[in-house]
Amino acid sequence: MLSRVPVVACVLTLGSLPSLHAGALDPPIVEADVPQPEQVTIEPGYEFGFLGLGTGVALGVHDAPALSVSSLHPSGVFHSNGQHRQITFSQSAAWTVQDGPRSFFVEWSGDLSVSRLNTSQRSRLGNGGPVVLSFGSAPDGTIDLNSSSGPAGAVATADVSLTDNTGGTGTITSSAFSPPGGAITQQAITTTASGGAFTALTTDGTNALSASYGAIFDAGGFVLSGLGDTQNSEVVIEATDRITSVRQQILGGWQIPTTSDWTITAKVGPTLTVTDRSLSRDEMVEIAPTTNSANGPTIGLTSRDTVTSSTYGAATQISFSRPLTDAWTGSIGLSAEIGRFDSKYSGYSRVTAPSLSDGPEIRHRDRLSGATGRAGLQIGVSRPIALGGVLSLSLYGQRGFNQPTLRATALSPITATVSGTGEDASLVSTGQQAYRNELTTGSSWSAGAGVSVAYVF
């Protein structure tokens, strides 16, 4: 006869890095007295029997590896840090194998894990200046600004010119003056073959306030400079960090004999995971108007950065279970995994403005490979239910090491030169790049709770 080999209830199986299968519940396919599976003889000495199917769901939090990217944020970098809300769906199936007096089981499991983190930020530009915001490799060009005010009124001027990456040129010369009792908010934009220039001026003669802004951009990058009373203007960032991960795993397992009422089960086998982490964000420079206009001039970027990783490796698990009552069984599972990841980064940003119909795209690429690992702990209870099923409840925790992520690396900052009076500023751009997005690695942790049901046939 083919002996029954239990698959221990709620043993945590961990997806290969950099997946997010914290708490992926491979449903137990039984630890109860169940009918013998049907036997199929494959060759002399070996008999196979289908044991059962299981399904599970887990809810938790996932603190993903810290991610940072080049940004229009006044610091030059946007950080996506924090705890993602995570849900994981799991499926599993198991077969028993008999070779004479020896028996073991084979278990397949597949998981889909989805997590999300939304971020909203508002950052003021500060006062005086000059303020410089840049992204990518700024095009060749100049931004000359003037901002002054006094009893006679407020004055602002901007002279902006560029040569884009295709050789196209563009120029804007703009000026505004408001005597006491007057106020002006104005903007201008011009485009080239693969880029453009932008200016915005605000003057308030009554309160003696003025500010001047200029920007140039092409398919290589973007730079904006501001001078004067810029303290009420803001950079507004809305971002969504999504992580989707799919794991497939096949483990072979066996029961370790004991002389107590504890059941010890070990598993080992290969695992493959594909993970997609996508950071989408809208970054807008909102220039505070000095008139009664509901909206001031705006210019910004729409960006999407994606890290796609494939990880293959080996997983091992060991679980300890014992009866708690006539109905309930308790279990503790430990798991570890080591593997290799291959990651690819693709990013793009598009310049956006109300009067710009199709801004240039700024693109980024990188690749990285390396070793990775993770370890986990799960505590659960299970009990038989109707129709030959087993219900399991569990709590889990997991720690991941050396997982792929993005980092904004500082290069050559772009600065503007200010006159002695502070009323004039000049920025000369020759393709400098303040930050570059690169693949790197970091650590993560996850925790949560799950429920699963398995049916034995």
Side-chain angles (χ1 to χ4, degrees):
M1 289 293 293
L2 179 62
S3 62
R4 296 189 297 273
V5 181
V7 179
V8 172
C10 273
V11 177
L12 176 64
T13 51
L14 301 176
S16 59
L17 290 178
S19 75
L20 290 238
H21 295 290
L25 301 174
D26 291 328
I29 319 231
V30 309
E31 197 168 78
D33 188 17
V34 299
Q36 295 284 348
E38 181 181 354
Q39 301 174 17
V40 179
T41 302
I42 304 301
E43 61 178 272
Y46 286 90
E47 293 179 326
F48 284 70
F50 182 59
L51 190 55
L53 295 172
T55 186
V57 62
L59 297 175
V61 295
H62 177 74
D63 195 346
L67 181 148
S68 64
V69 291
S70 177
S71 168
L72 295 183
H73 187 277
S75 68
V77 176
F78 173 79
H79 298 272
S80 181
N81 299 329
Q83 296 175 5
H84 292 61
R85 292 174 296 177
Q86 184 182 56
I87 184 169
T88 301
F89 302 96
S90 302
Q91 300 288 328
S92 63
W95 297 260
T96 58
V97 183
Q98 183 79 34
D99 176 18
R102 298 176 300 174
S103 63
F104 60 96
F105 63 89
V106 176
E107 181 182 81
W108 163 85
S109 62
D111 296 334
L112 169 64
S113 179
V114 180
S115 67
R116 176 173 176 155
L117 174 67
N118 294 325
T119 305
S120 180
Q121 296 180 354
R122 282 184 171 268
S123 304
R124 293 202 171 188
L125 297 185
N127 193 23
V131 173
V132 177
L133 308 177
S134 67
F135 184 87
S137 299
D140 293 341
T142 60
I143 302 174
D144 295 316
L145 307 176
N146 171 270
S147 173
S148 61
S149 58
V155 176
T157 65
D159 293 306
V160 177
S161 63
L162 84 151
T163 301
D164 67 27
N165 58 304
T166 68
T169 60
T171 301
I172 298 178
T173 299
S174 183
S175 64
F177 168 70
S178 295
I184 293 175
T185 297
Q186 67 185 45
Q187 65 179 319
I189 192 166
T190 186
T191 58
T192 64
S194 66
F198 167 88
T199 62
L201 306 175
T202 63
T203 56
D204 181 350
T206 301
N207 298 302
L209 300 173
S210 70
S212 177
Y213 305 83
I216 55 177
F217 52 88
D218 67 2
F222 172 101
V223 62
L224 177 145
S225 181
L227 181 69
D229 298 298
T230 60
Q231 66 271 19
N232 291 323
S233 296
E234 296 179 312
V235 177
V236 180
I237 301 177
E238 301 287 342
T240 300
D241 189 356
R242 296 182 181 87
I243 307 176
T244 302
S245 190
V246 177
R247 182 200 62 171
Q248 297 292 312
Q249 185 169 263
I250 298 177
L251 300 178
W254 60 94
Q255 199 172 60
I256 299 174
T258 67
T259 58
S260 67
D261 58 353
W262 284 92
T263 299
I264 303 176
T265 304
K267 302 180 187 179
V268 64
T271 181
L272 171 66
T273 305
V274 177
T275 301
D276 182 274
R277 184 173 186 180
S278 178
L279 176 67
S280 301
R281 65 191 192 281
D282 292 318
E283 303 184 337
M284 193 63 64
V285 181
E286 296 184 351
I287 296 170
T290 54
T291 61
N292 292 327
S293 170
N295 299 305
T298 60
I299 189 169
L301 297 170
T302 296
S303 302
R304 185 182 181 93
D305 299 284
T306 302
V307 177
T308 302
S309 304
S310 298
T311 305
Y312 43 92
T316 182
Q317 303 167 11
I318 187 168
S319 67
F320 306 85
S321 63
R322 59 166 294 176
L324 300 177
T325 67
D326 290 342
W328 289 94
T329 297
S331 65
I332 299 174
L334 302 174
S335 54
E337 186 176 315
I338 189 169
R340 177 178 176 82
F341 68 84
D342 293 314
S343 293
K344 179 176 67 175
Y345 162 56
S346 175
Y348 78 86
S349 299
R350 183 184 295 275
V351 179
T352 60
S355 55
L356 185 64
S357 59
D358 189 19
E361 283 192 358
I362 305 164
R363 294 192 170 270
H364 308 274
R365 298 251 192 303
D366 197 16
R367 299 187 74 98
L368 182 69
S369 299
T372 185
R374 69 173 66 215
L377 167 68
Q378 181 164 310
I379 300 173
V381 293
S382 63
R383 63 165 297 156
I385 57 176
L387 303 177
V390 177
L391 171 68
S392 299
L393 307 174
S394 64
L395 300 175
Y396 66 85
Q398 181 175 277
R399 182 74 172 176
F401 306 95
N402 214 43
Q403 298 181 306
T405 187
L406 283 174
R407 176 182 60 201
T409 302
L411 298 176
S412 175
I414 303 174
T415 58
T417 303
V418 185
S419 66
T421 62
E423 297 180 349
D424 298 281
S426 178
L427 183 148
V428 179
S429 174
T430 58
Q432 305 101 307
Q433 185 173 1
Y435 290 90
R436 180 176 62 227
N437 297 339
E438 297 178 332
L439 283 169
T440 185
T441 58
S443 60
S444 69
W445 63 265
S446 301
V451 58
S452 63
V453 176
Y455 286 94
V456 179
F457 302 96

